[in-house]
Amino acid sequence: MNNPFEFNTEEILHEVKEIRKNVLKMNHGAGQGHTGADLSEADILASLYFRLLRYTKENPRDPQRDRFILSKGHGVGGFYCTLMQAGLLDKNLLGTYLEFDSKLPGHPVRQKNDFVEVNTGALGHGLPIGVGMAIAAKKQNLDYKVYVLTGDGELQEGSNWEAAMTASHYKLDNLIWIIDRNNLQLADFTENIVALEPLGQKLEAFGMEYLEINGNDPGAIISTIESLAPNGKPKAILARTTKGCGVSFIENQPSWHHKVPTDEELSRAMEELSC
Amino acid sequence: MLGNSVAQDLRDVMVDSLTSLTRQGLNIAVLVSDSTSTAKIAPFKQEFPDRLINVGIAEQSLIGTAAGMALGGFVAVTANAAPFLVHRANEQVKNDVCYSNSNVKLMGLNAGVCYGPLASTHHAIDDVSIMRGFGNILIFTPSDGIEARQVFAYALNYVGPVYIRMDSAKLPNIHDEGYIFRPGQPDILRLGNDITIIAMGSTAHEAVAAGKLLQEDGISADIISLPSIRPLEPSKIVESLCKTSLAITVEEHSQHGGIGSLVSEIIAEHGIQCRLKRLGFPEGKFAVSGPRDEMRKHIGIDAASVARTAKEMIK
């Protein structure tokens, strides 16, 4: 099975811009949303859905497919807009985000969307579930890979480290854990709340094959993940990103964790993203 | 009463069921959190070493990993002590198992106060209450080996979340070999006229024994066990409560949220004129720890206390 797009970096960058525009429109329309997180992860999601993930549009639950778990479920806006851009979700639903019984609730729900693997939102759940899926693949001799995208503040949840130990013990080299390291959590910078660094050393100490990349550079994301080899080690990719990436007045501002643009801010953001 | 020589440990029945159903081709994986001895899982491990995953002492990861394996095509069975399952991994049970509707079977081992003297960290006297709060998980409380075998067969073939409240005591059979477990159906163990005694799991044995004591005093009791808390079709309970107008619930569980609450709801919703006494751990307190038999006496759920309560209510 292949990725249905297999886009190059330039093509992905085009999609990323469209995803960011749609995120802003969607959150503006709904009057709610996790704008900062939606924007920081866009390059990672576009790289996955337009290049790295092997899946078919026709059969979202194909047993051979690669799995993607959005453990940072609050980044669902970026996820929906990526699925829409890839033709996996109806773009006409964009205006229904967060409405009553919407197909686009504020965290991913698998009963609402066949491209959602598992219901997330509470933090620290995705990695253990990914470990289970990776074990299931190995036990059934299936060659699918399991991608888990966590936030960075999320790593304060101990369940991630439980799962990391299990992943390492069971040599789950089919597990690719991507950390959206945008340095911010709900209230402040992670290092001001409870410091995560030296994160790379921690990940290595837990038995991960650790790699650090610019998570807002699809070229780096793709070349790094495509170079991973099955060596008995689960992969941990620290993707250094900018929260709110792409819109100057949103970038690195803690207040934009779940702030949404005003009419005027939306116009300014659209201008920036159209450059 | 517990510890009869022909009695069975439900965990042995569980392991035997897991082994035979795996042999028959069911795609079972068992996950433990350093709880191999608690689950008595060695015979399964010996025959299917590749199907046993030990995640270490990490209950949150245990349940998340089980959900992942279930979503990856396995019938994922977790087997660890009930308190660490329902309390430590509560959010994983809620989200990864129930909300995601993954095909995970949660075996709540040594539930209630099986670990009596080890004190409240090791008690699970609110597990049924907690599981009842998660709307879609089936809840079963087998009372002997004959029933347990059928509960396991049903649960493992059912697609979706299941919680099974497990006892650690060896339980004698209170059913004969012809007994048929029906999900949703109360189990009428004895028919009477004067009072209804409703129990679950191992307290069904106390209820049966209480029924015998009452009979000696010329009192006949309906004795009902609830092996299937969810689903539950209440008509047989309604019928009994309407007939006797007096009821006692007997559970090694908090008085709140377990079968005492469940029967209260039935009485209220059906507008039944029935006086109910809920026997179980009282509200607002942790259990007083000690030998399990003494704990049962202390809260009045042993056979003699149940019979005494029944007689007081009938007076």
Side-chain angles (χ1 to χ4, degrees):
Chain A
M1 191 181 294
N2 297 315
N3 179 276
F5 296 92
E6 299 195 332
F7 276 5
N8 62 32
T9 305
E10 200 175 318
E11 290 169 317
I12 290 170
L13 280 167
H14 171 76
E15 301 300 336
V16 170
K17 276 197 175 182
E18 294 306 306
I19 290 165
R20 291 202 165 106
K21 285 181 193 171
N22 282 333
V23 159
L24 291 160
K25 285 181 203 164
M26 194 169 79
N27 292 357
H28 172 262
Q32 290 179 66
H34 288 87
T35 307
D38 293 339
L39 294 175
S40 76
E41 71 193 8
D43 302 274
I44 296 165
L45 292 173
S47 299
L48 287 168
Y49 279 87
F50 290 97
R51 175 67 175 259
L52 296 166
L53 283 175
R54 297 168 299 172
Y55 64 96
T56 65
K57 293 183 179 187
E58 298 73 27
N59 185 7
R61 303 284 198 218
D62 189 313
Q64 308 282 341
R65 73 193 183 280
D66 286 340
R67 271 63 166 176
F68 170 68
I69 299 171
L70 184 71
S71 188
K72 47 172 287 187
H74 58 284
V76 75
F79 183 48
Y80 290 150
C81 291
T82 303
L83 294 180
M84 285 178 190
Q85 205 57 29
L88 309 175
L89 185 61
D90 183 356
K91 274 191 179 174
N92 293 319
L93 293 171
L94 194 129
T96 70
Y97 182 45
L98 308 180
E99 283 183 355
F100 177 74
D101 204 22
S102 168
K103 284 197 171 179
L104 310 184
H107 289 98
V109 178
R110 66 192 298 264
Q111 290 88 345
K112 300 262 185 183
N113 184 327
D114 286 343
F115 286 93
V116 172
E117 297 286 353
V118 66
N119 300 351
T120 52
L123 297 173
H125 287 246
L127 197 63
I129 294 167
V131 164
M133 289 180 177
I135 293 173
K138 295 249 178 202
K139 298 279 181 200
Q140 296 173 111
N141 294 317
L142 294 170
D143 81 339
Y144 67 77
K145 291 189 171 68
V146 182
Y147 294 83
V148 179
L149 179 62
T150 67
D152 50 0
E154 179 177 2
L155 303 191
Q156 289 157 359
E157 294 281 7
S159 50
N160 292 298
W161 303 98
E162 292 182 5
M165 279 192 279
T166 307
S168 169
H169 183 82
Y170 284 94
K171 302 183 179 5
L172 301 179
D173 52 14
N174 53 349
L175 178 71
I176 299 158
W177 172 16
I178 305 172
I179 299 157
D180 183 355
R181 181 68 169 123
N182 59 33
N183 300 315
L184 279 157
Q185 57 189 97
L186 177 61
D188 199 353
F189 289 89
T190 59
E191 303 311 279
N192 292 340
I193 302 286
V194 165
L196 298 172
E197 299 294 345
L199 196 46
Q201 287 176 36
K202 290 177 185 171
L203 294 163
E204 275 185 323
F206 274 74
M208 305 285 123
E209 180 180 350
Y210 163 71
L211 297 148
E212 187 172 326
I213 59 170
N214 176 354
N216 292 127
D217 176 358
I221 297 165
I222 291 164
S223 63
T224 302
I225 291 181
E226 286 184 341
S227 71
L228 296 172
N231 58 359
K233 281 189 163 193
K235 322 300 179 190
I237 297 173
L238 191 68
R240 293 206 177 269
T241 61
T242 300
K243 196 161 182 174
C245 182
V247 183
S248 60
F249 58 90
I250 299 178
E251 288 184 355
N252 272 321
Q253 300 298 316
S255 63
W256 276 91
H257 178 79
H258 47 36
K259 196 175 152 192
V260 295
T262 62
D263 294 350
E264 189 267 330
E265 286 167 337
L266 181 66
S267 307
R268 278 170 59 202
M270 287 300 146
E271 272 175 40
E272 282 192 30
L273 287 166
S274 297
C275 293
Chain B
M1 196 227 20
L2 304 178
N4 178 304
S5 59
V6 295
Q8 277 182 296
D9 186 325
L10 303 191
R11 292 171 295 179
D12 292 330
V13 181
M14 173 187 81
V15 173
D16 193 49
S17 299
L18 290 168
T19 309
S20 62
L21 288 166
T22 305
R23 222 179 273 147
Q24 287 167 34
L26 205 56
N27 200 19
I28 289 171
V30 179
L31 294 98
V32 294
S33 48
D34 193 30
S35 45
T36 44
S37 59
T38 312
K40 303 183 79 176
I41 202 74
F44 177 85
K45 186 183 179 185
Q46 191 171 7
E47 189 164 341
F48 299 107
D50 199 40
R51 295 296 188 94
L52 184 78
I53 311 296
N54 193 339
V55 301
I57 307 167
E59 291 81 9
Q60 297 179 67
S61 188
L62 172 79
I63 303 306
T65 302
M69 289 197 74
L71 293 165
F74 282 92
V75 180
V77 179
T78 66
N80 69 323
F84 315 132
L85 165 68
V86 299
H87 302 135
R88 183 60 160 266
N90 188 267
E91 194 182 69
Q92 279 74 16
V93 172
K94 175 197 162 202
N95 292 342
D96 308 349
V97 177
C98 296
Y99 184 35
S100 292
N101 201 32
S102 52
N103 194 19
V104 178
K105 317 303 163 188
L106 305 168
M107 305 292 179
L109 306 177
N110 300 7
V113 293
C114 289
Y115 289 121
L118 302 189
S120 290
T121 56
H122 282 55
H123 298 162
I125 59 170
D126 46 12
D127 54 327
V128 171
S129 168
I130 287 165
M131 293 298 172
R132 286 186 75 210
F134 303 149
N136 62 333
I137 189 166
L138 305 192
I139 306 165
F140 299 131
T141 61
S143 60
D144 69 6
I146 290 171
E147 185 169 65
R149 190 171 296 280
Q150 297 182 55
V151 166
F152 296 131
Y154 178 80
L156 291 163
N157 283 293
Y158 168 84
V159 179
V162 180
Y163 173 69
I164 302 179
R165 183 179 223 234
M166 296 280 289
D167 210 280
S168 63
K170 285 192 171 181
L171 296 168
N173 290 336
I174 51 173
H175 300 98
D176 60 36
E177 291 294 341
Y179 168 75
I180 297 173
F181 162 74
R182 292 186 174 85
Q185 285 302 318
D187 171 25
I188 313 294
L189 288 163
R190 185 188 181 98
L191 280 170
N193 293 305
D194 303 321
I195 192 164
T196 303
I197 301 175
I198 303 175
M200 67 169 169
S202 62
T203 56
H205 296 255
E206 305 285 4
V208 168
K212 286 178 185 162
L213 292 172
L214 289 168
Q215 193 180 25
E216 289 167 13
D217 290 327
I219 296 168
S220 72
D222 267 3
I223 309 291
I224 301 176
S225 171
L226 300 180
S228 180
I229 305 285
R230 181 186 294 123
L232 180 61
E233 205 293 295
S235 59
K236 285 181 182 168
I237 300 171
V238 172
E239 198 180 310
S240 176
L241 299 175
C242 289
K243 177 179 68 180
T244 63
S245 300
L246 282 179
I248 301 174
T249 52
V250 187
E251 56 193 319
E252 197 177 280
H253 188 277
S254 165
Q255 289 169 340
H256 298 268
I259 60 170
S261 294
L262 196 156
V263 172
S264 303
E265 292 157 19
I266 292 172
I267 289 170
E269 288 178 349
H270 289 78
I272 302 167
Q273 292 292 316
C274 179
R275 200 174 134 221
L276 171 69
K277 178 76 181 167
R278 292 170 299 148
L279 300 178
F281 289 95
E283 185 184 18
K285 290 176 183 169
F286 286 96
V288 178
S289 67
R292 194 180 182 193
D293 286 352
E294 289 179 45
M295 292 179 76
R296 285 192 168 194
K297 282 180 190 151
H298 181 71
I299 60 163
I301 62 166
D302 63 303
S305 302
V306 173
R308 192 167 58 243
T309 300
K311 282 189 266 186
E312 283 166 7
M313 288 176 79
I314 288 168
K315 254 182 218 168

